[in-house]
């Protein structure tokens, strides 16, 4: 498949690129700093662009089978509309280009429950933007999946538990490698269309 990755320089995005290449996919990494991604004769195309710019996204994403987005702000406590703005630009570009399949990374803190409410309050600026992103995605008319993991780790496993519409029970962390595996599995296996999916270790 031809996959278009937004956020490919991030810790989860890098995992998606590596695993997608290992699975035999062609990958386009849409990044703001191409120098931070090395391509070694792989089917990897790196395109410099602004993830908030619909036209730049539209021009770069022609003829792709699916789009994955793992954007995240570097400063979670500051007000930001980055996720919302990028979701709007991405979904509009996808609707114009004919790419239908979108898998985005969100957060388990949006599920109900007291610990999630506390996390959402502490990171309220980030969570407000993340929820706005989810709303744009859900209203996009695309074949979307929203992945909601708990705290992300740099552990080495790629297995995960998943549950549509709720967090897996007693799942408090998940490796970024496993998030990447879930997002790629959802695309390859054509699963979780129009679903918010809780994922955890
Ligand atoms: N950390 C956790 O425990 C946790 C838990 C649940 C959910 N999540 C969600 O997971 C997501 C990603 O996490 P991560 O750890 O993989 O993130 P990360 O390593 O911080 O990567 C963030 C990515 O977003 C890009 N980015 C940030 N600001 C940007 C901007 N203004 N314009 C364009 N690109 C921008 C970065 O690009 P540059 O390399 O160019 O800066 C990078 O590719 C976050 O949205 C977060 O909500 C995180």
């Amino acid at each position: 498949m031809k996959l278009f990755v937004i956020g490919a320089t991030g810790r989860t995005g890098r995992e998606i690129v590596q695993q997608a290449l290992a699975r035999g996919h062609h990958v386009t990494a849409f990044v703001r700093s191409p120098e931070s991604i090395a391509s070694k004769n792989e089917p990897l195309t790196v395109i410099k662009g602004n993830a908030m710019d619909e036209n730049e996204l539209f021009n770069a994403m022609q003829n792709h089978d699916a789009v994955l987005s793992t954007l995240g702000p570097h400063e979670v406590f500051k007000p930001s509309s980055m996720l919302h703005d990028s979701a709007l630009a991405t979904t509009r570009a996808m609707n114009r280009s004919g790419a239908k399949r979108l898998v985005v990374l969100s957060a388990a803190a949006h599920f109900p429950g007291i610990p999630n409410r506390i996390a959402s309050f502490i990171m309220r600026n980030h969570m407000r933007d993340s929820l706005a992103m989810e709303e744009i995605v859900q209203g996009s008319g695309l074949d979307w999946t929203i992945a909601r993991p708990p705290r992300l780790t740099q552990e080495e496993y790629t297995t995960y538990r998943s549950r549509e519409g709720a967090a897996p029970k007693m799942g408090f962390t998940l490796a970024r490698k496993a998030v990447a595996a879930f997002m790629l599995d959802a695309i390859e296996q054509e699963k979780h269309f129009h679903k918010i999916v809780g994922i955890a270790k």
Side-chain angles (χ1 to χ4, degrees), residues 89-168:
T90 301
T91 53
R92 284 179 175 168
M94 288 180 71
N95 274 312
R96 280 169 58 199
S97 72
K100 287 286 287 175
R101 185 71 174 116
L102 174 64
V103 182
V104 298
L105 181 54
S106 181
H110 296 311
F111 285 126
I114 290 172
N116 286 333
R117 282 175 65 180
I118 293 169
S120 290
F121 177 73
I122 293 169
M123 290 188 289
R124 53 194 171 279
N125 286 315
H126 175 38
M127 287 301 134
R128 197 176 294 130
D129 191 24
S130 169
L131 207 55
M133 177 267 290
E134 287 197 353
E135 282 166 14
I136 297 286
V137 168
Q138 290 175 77
S140 66
L142 299 166
D143 291 333
W144 55 268
T145 300
I146 294 171
R148 287 183 176 177
R151 188 170 64 79
L152 301 179
T153 72
Q154 290 300 100
E155 292 170 282
E156 292 296 319
Y157 62 88
T158 55
T159 53
Y160 55 81
R161 292 180 294 141
S162 64
R163 201 171 158 205
E164 291 185 346

Side-chain angles (χ1 to χ4, degrees), residues 9-81:
T9 53
R11 288 164 291 180
T12 312
R14 283 174 191 275
E15 288 299 335
I16 286 179
V17 172
Q18 277 183 18
Q19 289 182 34
L21 293 171
R23 293 179 185 208
H25 298 298
H26 289 244
V27 178
T28 299
F30 186 84
V31 301
R32 56 181 175 173
S33 43
E35 61 283 357
S36 56
I37 285 205
S39 177
K40 326 162 226 129
N41 295 325
E42 294 157 322
L44 170 64
T45 306
V46 182
I47 297 182
K48 181 178 166 68
N50 176 355
M52 272 70 77
D53 188 309
E54 178 187 330
N55 287 327
E56 286 188 20
L57 285 160
F58 171 75
N59 290 330
M61 72 168 53
Q62 301 304 310
N63 302 315
H64 283 77
D65 299 299
V67 175
L68 303 94
S69 178
T70 57
L71 287 177
H74 290 298
E75 309 228 26
V76 290
F77 299 112
K78 282 194 177 165
S80 169
S81 60

